[in-house]
């Protein structure tokens, strides 16, 4: 871990560790000797990344300049009001901007690289295209066009192919598109150029990179209890204060890049530079991010560079009439399960497009980093389809690896971490690729975190298949701690994947139909509800404490959101009933959801104080299968979990390394969190210097059924409290 933290996140850094680590991509072997047989593969991808950077330095003036493609391509307005429009479309023989009815009104000129360009002169200092003008309607016959009554001047990109066929497309670099479902599901491109006086001005600087990442995964559209699509402005006003109260310091926004099918959850992108217009305007998204920054919350974009929607009329597919402009040709360029197109990461212009896309979201919207979706698909030629990963190192190297995809991710991390040192990048990879989250100078791929995707799968499988007395404490601890040492991991009990239709939220699995009848405090506390509330808290707390170096929650799940998530579609009569988050449930003080919400908040703020997520991995001293008790230490805290469905234990002896007097800092059985108050939180636990479970001391506690206690040395707690702000002291 120390070597990784001391190493530069750059393939151009040279030797590290006082010359003891070679600058050839094999430095990771010092951290993991099992990688030694694969040094050639490590050197290959490292030199490949270096070659790209050298080429970009020579031809483009460096990554910093190369990644500003949005200042060259698409529509760019000059100080004098002139508009220059450029588009890469080498297969086209002619290209035009269509003004109204004239399909050849404004011809574009082509250079030797297949880039088409035209400059539209300003008139009286005013741009030739007015702000909010549609620059692409939809691909329709002229006979249909005559029936439209839209008063806005219509501008389209029209291209003639070698065959003589004429096609119209939405510009690839367009920054705003809109959809009118009453006319067509195809997007119209919009020329977005508000007057300077009307543009949003950021008020707050980016917050510093948090030591512990506590991530609130959210979707703007569903962030309302009403049966409709939520907005950027509503999220900023209504949801960010809730996130702040809960104690999360990172928001991860899904479904921001424009996507035509709402039910795709944002993972079928057509316009990569356009923020989804279904939630509001670009400036309203900027205001949302600025509002979060004002609360010292960083904001990540769920970026989709693993594939693209196969739409042709309003997407990148067949953009210039060819099969292989942005994507691989033929079957190599198609994902058989996602029914989408796959990028050619070995193409110079594709790299410009994707790297510039990352830079665009960082610069134009002030995002603080990215969660990269579908990394497994990007780094393997089989895309993870029909392939199981056993953990054998041979699976991570050889012909099954897409080196071009790996190198693109290395370049992306190189560019982002050099230009934005506090940038956070997270990889969604199910395979367990070694060195994914190690520094580039060591031969890693450069991500900050990876997602612990096995953890939520274990919870769901256990809830579905095993009775409570069959839960395997050893398997639970193994699943939570089975991660690559030195590579930071984001742990989570459930995310949006587990909430999708066909599955259910954790609380729904725990209490099933009683979620509709007994979540009111005015009704009896049934055994099912008691079990559900108790286990919901334990599941999330042990995942938080033992599962990684970061923590993630999908919005609403913190309070046990009922049911599942299903977007409006033909199969559900286009209903919004399940495409919303019912925050009204925690605002109703007669409902038990408030208990889970407040426990989640307590959990986050206690972590803010003690920082276990950025502490060393836990030492697990007890995994008692018969008693269903787990004990571990992390960040100087003593964690005790009793998962037994019926047994409570008095004077239960647990080992602890540090001697002292311990006081409770978090108690899942507190009445404030829907518990029974069976533990006196003023109790002090005194240690005895006698070895127990491999620890130097022991103490004895009362631990009720389905309860968790987190305790700290009373003297250390007092010392810690003097250096924390009032917000953190509130966890006491």
């Amino acid at each position: 871990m120390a070597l990784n933290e001391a190493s530069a996140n750059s393939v151009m850094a040279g030797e590290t560790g006082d010359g003891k680590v070679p600058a050839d991509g094999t430095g990771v072997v010092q951290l993991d000797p099992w990688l030694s047989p694969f040094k050639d593969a490590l050197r290959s991808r490292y030199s490949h990344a270096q070659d790209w950077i050298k080429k970009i330095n020579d031809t483009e003036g460096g990554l910093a300049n190369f990644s500003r493609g949005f200042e060259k391509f698409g529509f760019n307005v000059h100080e004098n009001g002139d508009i220059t429009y450029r588009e890469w479309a080498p297969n086209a023989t002619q290209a035009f901007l269509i003004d109204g009815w004239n399909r050849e009104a404004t011809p574009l000129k082509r250079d030797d690289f297949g880039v088409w360009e035209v400059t539209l002169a300003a008139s009286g200092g005013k741009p030739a295209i007015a702000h909010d003008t549609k620059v692409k309607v939809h691909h329709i016959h002229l006979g249909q066009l005559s029936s439209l009554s839209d008063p806005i001047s219509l501008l389209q990109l029209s291209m003639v192919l070698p065959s003589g066929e004429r096609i119209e497309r939405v510009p690839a670099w367009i920054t705003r598109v809109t959809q009118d479902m009453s006319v067509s599901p195809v997007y119209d491109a919009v020329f977005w150029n508000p007057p300077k006086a009307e543009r949003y001005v950021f008020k707050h600087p980016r917050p510093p990179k948090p030591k512990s990442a506590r991530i609130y995964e959210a979707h703007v559209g569903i962030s309302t209890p009403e049966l409709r699509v939520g907005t950027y402005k509503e999220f900023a006003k209504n949801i960010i204060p809730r996130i702040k109260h809960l104690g999360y310091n990172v928001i991860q926004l899904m479904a921001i890049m424009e996507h035509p099918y709402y039910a795709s959850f944002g993972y079928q992108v057509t316009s990569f530079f356009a923020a989804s217009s279904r939630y509001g305007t670009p400036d309203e998204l900027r205001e949302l991010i600025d509002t979060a920054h004002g609360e010292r919350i960083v904001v990540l974009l769920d970026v989709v560079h693993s594939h693209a929607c196969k739409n042709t009329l309003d997407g990148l597919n067949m953009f210039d009439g060819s099969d292989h402009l942005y994507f691989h040709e033929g079957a190599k360029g198609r994902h058989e399960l996602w029914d989408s197109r796959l990028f050619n990461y070995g193409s110079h212009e594709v790299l410009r497009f994707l790297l510039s896309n990352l830079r665009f979201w960082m610069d134009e919207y002030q995002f603080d980093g990215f969660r990269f979706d579908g990394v497994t698909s990007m780094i393997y030629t089989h895309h993870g389809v029909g392939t199981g990963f056993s953990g054998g190192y041979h699976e991570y190297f050889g012909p099954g690896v897409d080196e071009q995809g790996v190198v693109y991710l290395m370049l992306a991390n190189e560019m982002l971490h050099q230009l934005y040192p506090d940038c956070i990048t997270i990889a969604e990879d199910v395979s367990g690729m070694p060195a994914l989250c190690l520094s580039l100078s060591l031969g890693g791929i450069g991500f900050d975190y990876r997602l612990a995707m096995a953890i939520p799968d274990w919870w769901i499988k256990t809830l579905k298949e095993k009775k409570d007395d069959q839960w395997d404490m050893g398997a639970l601890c193994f699943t939570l701690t089975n991660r690559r040492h030195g590579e930071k991991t984001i742990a989570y009990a459930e995310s949006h994947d587990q909430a999708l239709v066909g599955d259910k939220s954790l609380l729904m699995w725990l209490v099933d139909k009683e979620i509709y009848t007994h979540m009111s405090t005015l009704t009896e506390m049934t055994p099912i509800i008691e079990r559900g509330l108790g286990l919901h808290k334990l599941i999330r707390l042990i995942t938080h404490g033992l599962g990684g170096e970061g923590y993630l929650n999908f919005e609403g799940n913190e309070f046990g959101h009922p049911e599942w998530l299903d977007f409006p579609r033909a199969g559900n009569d286009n209903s919004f009933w399940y495409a919303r988050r019912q925050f009204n449930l925690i605002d109703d003080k007669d409902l038990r959801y408030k208990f889970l919400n407040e426990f989640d908040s307590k959990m986050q703020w206690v972590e803010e104080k003690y920082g276990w997520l950025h502490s060393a991995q836990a030492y697990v001293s007890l995994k008692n299968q018969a008693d269903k008790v787990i004990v571990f230490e992390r960040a100087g805290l003593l964690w005790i979990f009793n998962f037994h469905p019926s047994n409570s234990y008095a004077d239960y002896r647990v080992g602890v390394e540090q001697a002292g007097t311990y006081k409770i800092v978090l108690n899942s059985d507190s009445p404030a969190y829907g518990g029974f108050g069976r533990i006196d939180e003023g109790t002090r636990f005194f240690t005895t210097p006698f070895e127990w479970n491999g620890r130097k001391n022991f103490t004895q506690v009362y631990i009720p059924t389905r309860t968790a206690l987190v305790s700290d040395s009373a003297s250390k707690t007092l010392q810690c409290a003097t250096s924390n702000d009032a917000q953190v002291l509130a966890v006491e």
Side-chain angles (χ1 to χ4, degrees):
M1 179 70 82
L3 176 61
N4 184 54
E5 292 178 350
S7 302
N9 208 4
S10 170
V11 296
M12 309 303 286
E15 292 184 344
T16 61
D18 297 326
K20 297 179 181 178
V21 180
D24 64 353
T26 62
V28 295
V29 175
Q30 295 194 19
L31 298 175
D32 185 356
W34 291 97
L35 288 169
S36 186
F38 308 101
K39 284 184 177 180
D40 287 345
L42 292 168
R43 290 189 186 101
S44 176
R45 72 188 193 188
Y46 190 83
S47 63
H48 191 173
Q50 287 183 321
D51 289 344
W52 264 118
I53 292 175
K54 292 173 183 175
K55 178 182 178 182
I56 290 168
N57 287 342
D58 293 341
T59 61
E60 303 284 352
L63 273 176
N65 189 57
F66 185 59
S67 59
R68 295 167 64 179
F70 52 88
E71 295 179 357
K72 175 181 178 181
F73 289 88
F75 291 88
N76 284 282
V77 182
H78 304 283
E79 287 294 326
N80 66 354
D82 290 355
I83 301 172
T84 297
Y85 170 57
R86 293 187 184 92
E87 200 73 70
W88 180 50
N91 189 53
T93 59
Q94 299 179 72
F96 307 88
L97 274 179
I98 308 172
D99 185 356
W101 302 100
N102 190 346
R103 301 187 78 175
E104 299 185 0
T106 307
L108 282 70
K109 293 183 179 180
R110 172 183 168 143
D111 68 12
D112 294 338
F113 301 98
V115 176
W116 295 87
E117 177 181 337
V118 65
T119 296
L120 305 175
S123 176
K126 293 184 178 181
I129 308 175
H131 166 59
D132 211 16
T133 293
K134 291 183 179 179
V135 292
K136 170 71 172 70
V137 278
H138 41 82
H139 192 74
I140 52 179
H141 300 297
L142 290 178
Q144 292 175 299
L145 186 61
S146 63
S147 66
L148 292 177
S149 58
D150 193 338
I152 300 175
S153 175
L154 301 174
L155 288 166
Q156 298 173 283
L157 171 63
S158 177
M159 291 176 283
V160 178
L161 307 183
S163 64
E165 179 187 359
R166 185 183 292 268
I167 60 175
E168 281 77 44
R169 294 289 187 263
V170 168
W173 297 72
I174 198 72
T175 59
R176 182 163 173 79
V177 292
T178 59
Q179 186 183 49
D180 185 350
M181 291 296 289
S182 66
V183 177
S184 168
V186 179
Y187 273 95
D188 301 332
V190 174
F191 178 69
W192 192 256
N193 181 42
K196 289 185 178 180
E198 298 177 11
R199 297 175 187 175
Y200 187 81
V201 178
F202 287 93
K203 303 175 180 65
H204 306 286
R206 284 190 172 106
K209 185 176 183 176
K211 292 181 180 180
S212 295
R214 301 185 300 274
I215 303 172
Y216 196 84
E217 184 184 36
H219 183 292
V220 172
I222 68 170
S223 298
T224 173
E226 299 180 25
L227 300 175
R228 58 175 176 80
V229 177
T231 69
Y232 295 127
K233 291 188 77 69
E234 290 170 337
F235 191 96
K237 178 182 178 182
N238 302 327
I239 307 304
I240 289 178
R242 294 183 185 274
I243 297 171
K244 178 66 175 180
H245 166 74
L246 287 168
Y248 290 90
N249 55 14
V250 181
I251 297 173
Q252 180 177 295
L253 287 180
M254 307 174 61
I256 295 297
M257 303 166 76
E258 193 59 273
H259 49 290
Y261 186 41
Y262 190 43
S264 74
F265 228 142
Y267 293 121
Q268 291 279 344
V269 176
T270 46
S271 293
F272 284 73
F273 291 83
S276 183
S277 59
R278 56 172 56 87
Y279 318 130
T281 69
D283 276 350
E284 288 167 350
L285 174 57
R286 291 184 177 96
E287 182 181 24
L288 183 162
I289 295 169
D290 197 26
T291 301
H293 287 172
E295 298 289 356
R296 296 179 65 81
I297 299 172
V298 303
V299 186
L300 308 182
L301 174 68
D302 193 350
V303 70
V304 185
H305 282 182
S306 49
H307 65 130
C309 179
K310 70 175 185 179
N311 285 14
T312 55
L313 300 184
D314 53 6
L316 295 178
N317 189 24
M318 305 290 290
F319 184 81
D320 67 348
S322 70
D323 185 43
H324 53 274
L325 183 63
Y326 287 97
F327 313 108
H328 287 294
E329 189 173 12
K332 187 177 180 181
R334 288 170 170 79
H335 198 293
E336 60 185 69
L337 292 185
W338 296 345
D339 194 24
S340 56
R341 297 304 311 270
L342 298 172
F343 286 105
N344 178 5
Y345 302 112
S347 163
H348 188 97
E349 290 303 322
V350 172
L351 288 181
R352 185 199 308 275
F353 183 85
L354 295 176
L355 292 174
S356 296
N357 188 234
L358 298 174
R359 182 84 181 270
F360 173 82
W361 292 107
M362 294 293 288
D363 287 357
E364 293 296 315
Y365 288 93
Q366 296 291 296
F367 277 97
D368 301 288
F370 303 93
R371 178 258 200 194
F372 282 74
D373 179 69
V375 166
T376 305
S377 177
M378 300 173 74
I379 61 179
Y380 298 102
T381 56
H382 50 67
H383 311 296
V385 178
T387 302
F389 293 94
S390 66
Y393 277 53
H394 65 282
E395 297 169 340
Y396 305 122
F397 301 94
V401 175
D402 186 342
E403 187 169 284
Q404 290 181 344
V406 172
V407 169
Y408 163 65
L409 292 172
M410 294 172 73
L411 294 176
N413 277 301
E414 172 96 23
M415 184 270 291
L416 288 169
H417 288 97
Q418 295 306 306
L419 295 179
Y420 314 96
D422 280 350
C423 175
I424 298 172
T425 57
I426 301 172
E428 186 215 25
D429 170 44
V430 71
S431 75
M433 166 68 79
L436 186 67
C437 301
L438 292 179
S439 296
L440 290 163
S441 62
L442 297 177
I445 300 178
F447 283 97
D448 294 287
Y449 297 94
R450 70 197 316 152
L451 292 174
M453 302 182 71
I455 295 176
D457 291 344
W458 191 92
W459 285 122
I460 292 296
K461 181 179 176 64
T462 297
L463 288 172
K464 286 181 179 179
E465 299 178 1
K466 294 188 176 182
K467 297 179 180 179
D468 292 3
D469 58 3
Q470 296 174 330
W471 285 24
D472 189 330
M473 298 295 99
L476 170 56
C477 290
F478 176 79
T479 301
L480 290 172
T481 58
N482 181 30
R483 53 187 185 272
R484 296 190 59 80
H485 180 69
E487 299 190 45
K488 291 188 290 187
T489 297
I490 302 291
Y492 56 106
E494 54 182 334
S495 73
H496 67 270
D497 290 326
Q498 286 71 43
L500 290 174
V501 64
D503 213 324
K504 296 183 289 191
S505 67
L506 280 181
L507 188 66
M508 195 73 183
W509 277 111
L510 289 165
V511 304
D512 201 43
K513 63 183 179 181
E514 286 200 12
I515 205 167
Y516 301 114
T517 58
H518 287 81
M519 283 300 285
S520 170
T521 57
L522 304 179
T523 61
E524 65 174 321
M525 174 73 84
T526 66
I528 289 177
I529 294 296
E530 176 188 343
R531 169 184 181 264
L533 296 182
L535 287 179
H536 191 274
K537 290 178 286 187
L538 266 62
I539 287 170
R540 302 175 79 78
L541 181 59
I542 197 169
T543 301
H544 206 310
L546 197 56
E549 291 72 39
Y551 178 78
L552 179 143
N553 166 70
F554 178 64
E555 69 173 317
N557 289 346
E558 69 274 9
F559 64 83
H561 199 283
E563 301 167 330
W564 49 86
L565 192 61
D566 189 14
F567 287 87
R569 54 188 176 85
N572 63 13
D573 295 325
N574 292 309
S575 171
F576 281 87
W577 187 259
Y578 298 109
R580 59 189 179 128
R581 296 283 92 175
Q582 300 179 58
F583 291 104
N584 55 295
L585 296 176
I586 53 176
D587 295 335
D588 188 333
K589 301 309 177 185
D590 289 333
L591 296 179
R592 293 187 168 104
Y593 296 101
K594 65 181 180 182
F595 298 133
L596 299 180
N597 192 72
E598 292 311 301
F599 179 78
D600 198 88
S601 178
K602 177 79 170 185
M603 186 167 61
Q604 310 310 326
W605 286 113
V606 172
E607 198 290 325
E608 171 71 11
K609 178 176 180 177
Y610 292 98
W612 59 74
L613 290 174
H614 63 269
S615 298
Q617 288 193 30
Y619 182 92
V620 181
S621 61
L622 181 65
K623 298 170 285 188
N624 191 307
Q625 179 63 15
D627 293 346
K628 293 288 185 287
V629 172
I630 293 172
V631 179
F632 63 87
E633 294 153 82
R634 190 176 187 187
L637 299 173
L638 176 62
W639 308 64
I640 307 169
F641 292 80
N642 179 7
F643 282 93
H644 201 285
S646 58
N647 290 355
S648 297
Y649 304 105
D651 296 327
Y652 197 88
R653 183 174 292 189
V654 299
V656 60
E657 189 71 10
Q658 180 179 321
T661 303
Y662 283 78
K663 62 172 285 188
I664 297 170
V665 297
L666 184 56
N667 168 24
S668 72
D669 194 49
S670 168
Y673 315 129
F676 294 96
R678 291 168 290 190
I679 299 171
D680 180 359
E681 296 190 16
T683 300
R684 296 296 187 265
F685 306 112
F686 302 96
T687 60
T688 299
F690 184 86
E691 184 175 344
W692 193 260
N693 290 335
R695 311 311 276 162
K696 293 179 180 178
N697 306 278
F698 74 80
T699 188
Q700 298 186 161
V701 302
Y702 171 53
I703 183 72
T705 175
R706 294 190 181 120
T707 295
L709 292 177
V710 182
S711 302
D712 184 31
S713 169
S715 58
K716 187 157 69 70
T717 300
L718 181 60
Q719 294 170 3
C720 180
T722 61
S723 62
N724 283 276
D725 60 32
Q727 179 86 57
V728 180
L729 285 174
V731 304
E732 292 276 282

